[in-house]
Amino acid sequence: MDRDNQVSSSNYDSMHKLKPTNHFVNALLTDLYQLTMAYCYWKQGRHEDQAVFDLFFRKCPFDGEFAIFAGLEECLRFLASFHFTDSDIQFLATVIHAEKEFFDWLRNLDVSKVSVYALSEGSVTFPLVPLLRVQGPLAVCQLLETTLLNLINYASLVATNAARFRLAVGDKSLLEFGLRRAQGPDGGVSASRYTYLGGFDATSNVLASKLFSIPCSGTIAHSFVQTFHDCSQLATTKLVDSNKNEREFVQCVMETRERLGYNTNQGELAAFISYAQCFPDRFLVLVDTYDTLSSGVPNFICVALCLLDFGYKPLGIRLDSGDLSYLSKAARKEISRIAQLTGKVELNQVKIAASNDLNETTLLSLHQQGHEIDIFGIGTHLVTCQQQPALGCVYKLVEINGQPRIKVSEDISKLTIPCAKKAYRLYGKEGYPLVDLLTLETEEAPKVGDKILCRHPYVERKRCIIVPTRIEPLLKLVWNGKMPVEPSFFSLSHLREFCKQEMSCLREDHRRFLNPTPYKVSVSQTLFDFIHRLWLEETPIPELA
Amino acid sequence: MDRDNQVSSSNYDSMHKLKPTNHFVNALLTDLYQLTMAYCYWKQGRHEDQAVFDLFFRKCPFDGEFAIFAGLEECLRFLASFHFTDSDIQFLATVIHAEKEFFDWLRNLDVSKVSVYALSEGSVTFPLVPLLRVQGPLAVCQLLETTLLNLINYASLVATNAARFRLAVGDKSLLEFGLRRAQGPDGGVSASRYTYLGGFDATSNVLASKLFSIPCSGTIAHSFVQTFHDCSQLATTKLVDSNKNEREFVQCVMETRERLGYNTNQGELAAFISYAQCFPDRFLVLVDTYDTLSSGVPNFICVALCLLDFGYKPLGIRLDSGDLSYLSKAARKEISRIAQLTGKVELNQVKIAASNDLNETTLLSLHQQGHEIDIFGIGTHLVTCQQQPALGCVYKLVEINGQPRIKVSEDISKLTIPCAKKAYRLYGKEGYPLVDLLTLETEEAPKVGDKILCRHPYVERKRCIIVPTRIEPLLKLVWNGKMPVEPSFFSLSHLREFCKQEMSCLREDHRRFLNPTPYKVSVSQTLFDFIHRLWLEETPIPELA
């Protein structure tokens, strides 16, 4: 990534006063057990033990085989501002019965001895590869767990969801409309931010637009149409045309309606005229308040033709109910018919937008049925991630005072990979990534052109040899104890471009919707041996009787 | 509700500086189309038209037949602080190309002419009954839509989810553990707040505990156990007993272990001892890090017996994996065996807590299988509402300048009920609510003992006569244009009690999980006639060719 001109202006120049975007993000936004454990470590004098934690997920969301990593900037803002206030300490003293010295220690605690390595925000990523590696004093690393998980889980989940919607619609426009149904105010704002990162084009959310410079989109609702009875309610019958001449607009529309023989709802027509008078160069209206084909579309056409006559370019219609495939095709057909009839060929350029409970399945189904939709407005299912509303990132201890730690489980999918590790992405000759490789931190880096044995972390017989044409180290130092390490922060639009590029590198069979091929996440031979030795050591041989 | 001593101290005494809990909640947290519509209304001189909007849902969540109304206090805080800042206006001027006078109007806009009627927060509620009725100038009422929906949808959804979990477990303890998997920081904080309202007993979320005075709960994680190798890591081998005498604790535990013939993991044992030394009167530990029955439970027993010996009361164990029914029964059996063997009958009082991806289905299944669990810790599925991650509240125009408005739709379930309305809950002689009745605002209130004809709003043949023994008006004025009307704010624990009482009034067949009986929401004869007249007026007779 080239960071010249890409760093958002609000970031580096005020690094010393970095704050999380949401003011709930502070040291107290954690689970109580992090504090009870911290107290035990402190009391045992073990709080400065050197720990390494990995933050990763075990299964990609939405039955897919990839995820997008997001939330890093907020994690760094959290680290930069991490401390317990006096008020926090007073509160904690009512919950945990501990010595005054413990609270003194807590009050002075910071993350200056913590290092964090991370993937680039916006990366395509896969199970088991650490998204973050957090290392430093045991107690403080433990205290960071819940907040880091909270900041990464939803951000990555909803960014991944957005990337999947993007795959489902190709290059059509995608608008995020989810604020009203999101899980709380921040759920709405985060959804706007991270769905833009994942490939959406705009949001309806004004606050998110302001905070993160996301393009903002919106026109009218049904209630607007319903407030109009007829054109007598209009404050003026005129409109200033593109040559700055004020001319009769309502008359133009009424004559057009008459000429075309339409018998449409008059309140709806008045609403459309009113909107055109306010936004003559942004005329896109909702056409399903009364009846899409017999009223909404004809009313749109009448106003649109007059706007063309007045030198403006009407934008389009929005469908919000019914059979979107059928209605979009029928609407397009009528619009084309009138374009031909009137000779106003510009009418063929108007866009058809559709909304109403769209999800991945309905988008794929629309694609199969055929449709004439140019713009999709997606809300509820996108932002709340209906298909799977939580990503299961975990934060696991992998090393303590230089000693590896493994979490043994009956369930092989719940094993952890011990030790501080490095991660590499190995690319094949066709330019696609072939495998992510985890090695011990102390191992030498793999080299382009070498034959590299890649082992499945748990299953002995699964292994392959890769001769990479390109190798990308995945984990970079992003927090050095004092501040985010450059380049950690990029503008959201830059992250969006990066994510798009990452997605385009991913082989088609990994990203398809039905039965995608799992991407290989492997370990080096050295790490493999390490895991399996520890695994046996930690698993007692059951004595059966 | 008796409001003496119930109003939270942070509320009424500082009414003039009421602020939303989350600082994202402000006038800009809205959809752009609210502002484009507001501009049209302003431009047409219709912004002061008198409008009435209803906020309601059409279908109860989770395939149930009730919901809990929550989020009202935040709505009132939002109203009390509603305004556009200069910075907001500057931003909006880049998005909407409008006259300076429009932005001047926006800058001075407040909600002083808006009235809001609402259900009591924590109420049991049903489809179509307005949760809020918002009335006042058209433009400003329209501008409130998205934020009010956002604040009510998730709050009510997650409170309802919590109430259903409460039904599923009876009087067992319920702990909310969802922060790490919640949809963002505020998703986590709101989840803690509204699941407590819905009947949970405590949260692991420290910030939510501080903000809303919710009991806070938490002990240790697997990583804590994994950091210990053996007892040589302990800072001290002693513990001060309840008589303030410092005595050898590790020796006591080791001798107990020897005597009982346990061969357990030594690191885990050291971790338990360490935790007991820090929290001798709050000893509850996670027992599944290595092996629940061969190591975790025996290690717990050894430490618990010594704590009893030292004059403390051990609290219990937590299971976080495996077959919770089997493991809880086996753990209980072993604990009972040792209680009998050692004569320490207090050991029988220890609690068994369980967590690990619990949802409504697993809880019901555990109930069927039988178990020995006393405390359930529930995270992901509770807070993200896995079964249905969004509630579909809508905000519909029902009246404008005294004229009723109806939204006609092909889909009968999408019709709206026009006019400013009142709502009553009618109770039968057994004390259960029988029906919620909507009437025109201008109609006389129904009376106890009268025969009241209740009509299904849409289906003609569905009607019944009720002779109520008690009538409860449901919608109360909560915002009078200047401030929340007393009593609008209650402490969270009061809302929780109120919700509990509401749930206990609900007939069992309405709240059961499988095929619950729909609760009747009806309209008066006058309102029925009104709806059906308008409905016909607004539906053109299709001409078939």
Side-chain angles (χ1 to χ4, degrees), chain A residues 109-121:
Chain A
L109 191 64
D110 61 31
V111 287
S112 59
K113 293 175 187 160
V114 174
S115 304
V116 180
Y117 295 80
L119 297 194
S120 299
E121 185 155 10

Side-chain angles (χ1 to χ4, degrees), chain A residues 275-288:
Chain A
Y275 193 73
Q277 290 172 323
C278 290
F279 298 103
D281 51 0
R282 287 172 63 180
F283 184 67
L284 190 153
V285 285
L286 184 60
V287 292
D288 70 337

Side-chain angles (χ1 to χ4, degrees), chain B residues 263-481:
Chain B
N263 179 22
T264 55
N265 184 293
Q266 302 256 4
E268 182 178 59
L269 185 61
F272 289 4
I273 292 172
S274 163
Y275 193 72
Q277 288 172 324
C278 290
F279 298 103
D281 51 1
R282 288 172 63 180
F283 183 68
L284 191 152
V285 285
L286 184 61
V287 292
D288 71 337
T289 305
Y290 300 105
D291 185 285
T292 300
L293 297 178
S294 72
S295 184
V297 171
N299 275 334
F300 165 78
I301 289 171
C302 297
V303 177
L305 285 171
C306 293
L307 282 174
L308 284 170
D309 192 46
F310 276 55
Y312 297 106
K313 199 178 154 217
L315 296 189
I317 60 172
R318 177 160 73 95
L319 307 169
D320 190 42
S321 59
D323 179 336
L324 298 176
S325 166
Y326 166 71
L327 290 174
S328 67
K329 287 188 277 193
R332 180 68 74 200
K333 194 170 159 196
E334 178 65 2
I335 292 167
S336 297
R337 184 180 76 84
I338 300 296
Q340 187 160 24
L341 185 75
T342 58
K344 298 276 189 182
V345 290
E346 304 97 314
L347 208 56
N348 285 318
Q349 291 168 31
V350 302
K351 305 286 188 195
I352 299 180
S355 45
N356 189 30
D357 259 1
L358 295 172
N359 61 19
E360 207 176 283
T361 311
T362 51
L363 288 180
L364 294 171
S365 161
L366 277 171
H367 184 70
Q368 287 191 321
Q369 297 168 66
H371 64 79
E372 287 286 340
I373 300 164
D374 306 289
I375 302 167
F376 292 95
I378 305 183
T380 313
H381 302 315
L382 171 69
V383 307
T384 63
C385 302
Q386 173 200 37
Q387 202 189 328
Q388 180 186 323
L391 181 62
C393 280
V394 293
Y395 184 88
K396 294 290 173 188
L397 181 72
V398 293
E399 198 176 299
I400 178 102
N401 292 333
Q403 298 298 308
R405 278 292 176 274
I406 191 168
K407 168 85 181 74
V408 180
S409 172
E410 297 284 312
D411 184 354
I412 206 170
S413 72
K414 285 204 166 184
L415 285 170
T416 58
I417 301 181
C419 306
K421 294 174 289 292
K422 286 185 173 166
Y424 302 92
R425 186 156 295 172
L426 311 188
Y427 290 79
K429 59 182 185 297
E430 289 177 29
Y432 293 115
L434 295 180
V435 68
D436 280 9
L437 179 70
L438 303 176
T439 72
L440 291 176
E441 200 194 15
T442 49
E443 280 185 76
E444 212 175 314
K447 288 191 198 71
V448 167
D450 279 3
K451 281 191 181 180
I452 298 166
L453 176 62
C454 300
R455 304 283 312 245
H456 186 286
Y458 310 130
V459 185
E460 230 172 339
R461 68 183 167 75
K462 289 192 180 176
R463 58 214 197 279
C464 64
I465 288 173
I466 306 266
V467 184
T469 58
R470 183 158 79 87
I471 296 179
E472 190 190 352
L474 294 176
L475 291 169
K476 290 163 195 156
L477 181 68
V478 294
W479 176 261
N480 64 8

Side-chain angles (χ1 to χ4, degrees), chain A residues 4-22:
Chain A
D4 292 346
N5 302 318
Q6 302 289 2
V7 175
S8 51
S9 59
S10 63
N11 294 333
Y12 274 112
D13 52 3
S14 57
M15 186 91 78
H16 57 288
K17 50 176 181 175
L18 275 180
K19 291 271 185 297
T21 310
N22 187 305

Side-chain angles (χ1 to χ4, degrees), chain A residues 104-403:
Chain A
D104 291 342
W105 170 78
L106 212 53
R107 196 188 314 260
N108 294 315
L109 191 64
D110 61 31
V111 287
S112 59
K113 293 175 187 160
V114 174
S115 304
V116 180
Y117 295 80
L119 297 194
S120 299
E121 185 155 10
S123 295
V124 166
T125 182
F126 307 99
L128 298 179
V129 177
L131 305 174
L132 297 187
R133 189 177 94 209
V134 179
Q135 57 192 56
L138 175 58
V140 68
C141 288
Q142 186 68 62
L143 284 172
L144 302 175
E145 173 178 13
T146 306
T147 324
L148 295 176
L149 285 171
N150 178 279
L151 292 173
I152 288 172
N153 266 323
Y154 177 60
S156 300
L157 181 75
V158 78
T160 306
N161 208 19
R164 292 173 64 88
F165 277 90
R166 170 51 68 205
L167 285 179
V169 303
D171 58 1
K172 304 290 183 193
S173 289
L174 280 173
L175 313 178
E176 179 270 312
F177 282 176
L179 177 57
R180 65 188 55 199
R181 303 282 167 82
Q183 297 200 348
D186 170 82
V189 172
S190 297
S192 305
R193 176 179 189 176
Y194 296 115
T195 57
Y196 185 66
L197 185 157
F200 269 58
D201 296 300
T203 180
S204 64
N205 182 336
V206 187
L207 179 63
S209 173
K210 181 185 178 198
L211 289 173
F212 307 113
S213 306
I214 305 170
C216 200
S217 171
T219 57
I220 58 169
H222 294 117
S223 62
F224 181 78
V225 177
Q226 286 180 274
T227 64
F228 286 85
H229 246 123
D230 56 50
C231 288
S232 68
Q233 288 167 292
L234 297 170
T236 171
T237 56
K238 297 179 180 170
L239 176 64
V240 176
D241 69 18
S242 62
N243 292 322
K244 310 283 177 204
N245 298 318
E246 192 174 63
R247 293 158 51 196
E248 284 295 334
F249 188 67
V250 174
Q251 193 187 335
C252 172
V253 174
M254 287 304 181
E255 284 170 7
T256 306
R257 180 169 177 267
E258 180 81 25
R259 197 168 67 245
L260 296 176
Y262 286 141
N263 179 21
T264 55
N265 185 294
Q266 302 255 7
E268 183 179 58
L269 186 61
F272 289 4
I273 291 172
S274 164
Y275 193 73
Q277 290 172 323
C278 290
F279 298 103
D281 51 0
R282 287 172 63 180
F283 184 67
L284 190 153
V285 285
L286 184 60
V287 292
D288 70 337
T289 305
Y290 299 106
D291 186 285
T292 299
L293 297 178
S294 72
S295 185
V297 170
N299 274 334
F300 163 78
I301 288 172
C302 299
V303 177
L305 285 172
C306 294
L307 282 174
L308 283 170
D309 193 44
F310 275 56
Y312 297 107
K313 197 176 156 223
L315 295 188
I317 60 172
R318 177 160 73 95
L319 307 170
D320 189 43
S321 59
D323 179 335
L324 299 176
S325 166
Y326 167 72
L327 290 173
S328 67
K329 285 188 277 191
R332 179 68 73 200
K333 195 172 158 192
E334 179 65 3
I335 291 167
S336 297
R337 184 180 76 83
I338 301 296
Q340 188 160 22
L341 186 75
T342 58
K344 299 272 191 186
V345 290
E346 304 97 316
L347 208 58
N348 285 318
Q349 290 169 30
V350 303
K351 306 285 186 192
I352 300 181
S355 45
N356 189 30
D357 259 2
L358 295 172
N359 60 20
E360 206 176 284
T361 311
T362 51
L363 288 180
L364 295 171
S365 161
L366 277 172
H367 183 69
Q368 284 190 323
Q369 297 168 66
H371 63 79
E372 286 286 341
I373 300 163
D374 306 290
I375 301 168
F376 292 95
I378 306 183
T380 313
H381 302 316
L382 172 69
V383 307
T384 64
C385 302
Q386 173 200 36
Q387 203 187 329
Q388 181 187 322
L391 180 63
C393 280
V394 293
Y395 184 87
K396 294 290 175 188
L397 181 72
V398 293
E399 197 176 301
I400 178 102
N401 293 333
Q403 298 297 309

